[in-house]
């Protein structure tokens, strides 16, 4: 089974509550979920958030869209990923974040296909706009990281143990011929939010609902 896990919570330091802030007529997290669903080869999309009460509304909203929700420790993101992957007997995991409403599902579909064919433990990408594509893990990479990671940084960052111990894993990284990494498609703060909001509204007003063709 291949699953996509969206890590999201309401207690963002720079932009609290952004997961439910509106972009066009729908919350940010709606766009992440809908685009995640379009990744070819994915069997299920799951929201991973924390047990903290401020995430109750986020969990209720995700469930209203038919998305399974897992709630765990506020700080230990890696633990959330491990238990979700284990509970679903997942072979591979795509990591999505609630910051990225313009996920390039076509690129993710290609990366997942390559990840599976190459039997990689970890697949990353280089040169894509920030927030358009993320990384992929085998269950082995998730489990090994969970059982061996030590310290707050390793718990908060799902990929950190792999990157610090690359000799233990089979890693595949796809790099674009042209570097677009200076382009920001993510929402970290209010400036990002206003920019992406204007972009989405412009696309909606000019050509209708064509967000699926943006990336």
């Amino acid at each position: 089974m291949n699953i996509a896990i969206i890590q999201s919570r309401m207690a963002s330091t720079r932009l609290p509550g952004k997961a439910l802030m509106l972009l066009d007529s729908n919350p940010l997290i709606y766009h992440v979920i809908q685009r995640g669903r379009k990744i070819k080869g994915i069997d299920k999309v799951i929201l991973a958030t924390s047990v903290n009460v401020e995430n109750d509304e986020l969990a209720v909203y995700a469930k209203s869209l038919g998305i399974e929700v897992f709630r765990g420790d506020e700080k230990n993101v890696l633990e959330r990923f491990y238990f979700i992957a284990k509970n679903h007997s997942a072979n591979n995991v795509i990591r999505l974040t609630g910051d990225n409403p313009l996920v390039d599902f076509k690129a993710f579909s290609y990366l997942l296909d390559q990840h599976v064919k190459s039997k990689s433990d970890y697949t990353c990408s280089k040169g894509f706009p920030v927030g358009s594509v993320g990384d992929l893990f085998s269950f082995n990479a998730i489990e090994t990281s969970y059982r061996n990671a030590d310290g707050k940084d390793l718990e908060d960052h799902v990929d950190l143990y792999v990157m610090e111990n690359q000799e233990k894993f089979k890693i595949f990284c796809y790099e674009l011929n042209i570097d677009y990494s200076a382009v920001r498609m993510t929402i970290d703060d209010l400036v990002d939010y206003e920019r992406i909001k204007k972009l989405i509204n412009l696309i909606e007003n000019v050509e209708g609902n064509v967000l699926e063709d943006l990336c």
Side-chain angles (χ1 to χ4, degrees):
M1 175 178 279
N2 301 319
I3 62 175
I5 301 176
I6 303 172
Q7 61 183 79
S8 181
R9 60 192 181 95
M10 296 291 280
S12 168
T13 303
R14 286 172 287 188
L15 192 59
K18 64 182 174 183
L20 294 178
M21 293 174 68
L22 295 181
L23 293 170
D24 65 58
S25 58
N26 295 297
L28 190 164
I29 196 67
Y30 168 88
H31 296 283
V32 183
I33 291 171
Q34 295 303 95
R35 294 178 79 81
R37 282 171 159 165
K38 294 181 179 180
I39 299 172
K40 292 182 179 179
I42 286 296
D43 298 296
K44 181 173 287 190
V45 178
I46 301 165
L47 176 71
T49 191
S50 88
V51 295
N52 289 18
V53 66
E54 66 265 19
N55 295 307
D56 288 353
E57 186 179 0
L58 174 60
V60 169
Y61 178 75
K63 289 178 181 178
S64 75
L65 297 177
I67 290 294
E68 181 179 331
V69 177
F70 178 90
R71 302 183 70 170
D73 186 271
E74 171 76 7
K75 299 297 183 181
N76 199 332
V77 180
L78 177 57
E79 182 177 78
R80 286 185 240 156
F81 270 66
Y82 170 69
F83 281 119
I84 292 172
K86 182 180 180 181
N87 292 344
H88 288 82
S89 300
N91 302 106
N92 301 289
V93 175
I94 283 182
R95 179 166 67 107
L96 303 175
T97 75
D99 306 316
N100 303 330
L102 296 176
V103 171
D104 188 339
F105 55 87
K106 294 179 181 178
F108 256 130
S109 299
Y110 173 78
L111 290 176
L112 177 59
D113 181 65
Q114 295 302 305
H115 177 82
V116 172
K117 286 180 178 178
S118 63
K119 298 181 180 179
S120 295
D121 288 306
Y122 178 73
T123 295
C124 59
S125 58
K126 295 181 180 180
F128 287 86
V130 176
S132 63
V133 183
D135 41 18
L136 303 86
F137 303 80
S138 68
F139 178 74
N140 173 63
I142 295 288
E143 183 176 44
T144 302
S145 297
Y146 174 71
R147 297 195 181 282
N148 293 282
D150 183 26
K152 179 179 181 298
D153 286 341
L154 291 176
E155 292 176 347
D156 287 352
H157 298 87
V158 180
D159 63 334
L160 190 55
Y161 183 82
V162 174
M163 298 311 295
E164 290 185 350
N165 298 274
Q166 296 187 33
E167 72 282 357
K168 297 181 180 181
F169 304 97
K170 184 176 182 180
I171 297 175
F172 169 73
C173 196
Y174 180 81
E175 185 170 0
L176 292 179
N177 293 327
I178 302 175
D179 187 358
Y180 294 103
S181 60
V183 179
R184 287 182 60 80
M185 305 291 279
T186 190
I187 298 179
D188 284 331
D189 53 32
L190 190 58
V191 174
D192 288 335
Y193 170 72
E194 294 296 342
R195 183 180 65 255
I196 299 299
K197 183 179 180 179
K198 289 179 180 178
L199 174 60
I200 290 177
N201 286 339
L202 176 63
I203 295 170
E204 291 281 325
N205 291 335
V206 173
E207 298 186 32
N209 188 18
V210 295
L211 284 178
E212 62 182 26
D213 296 321
L214 181 61
C215 295

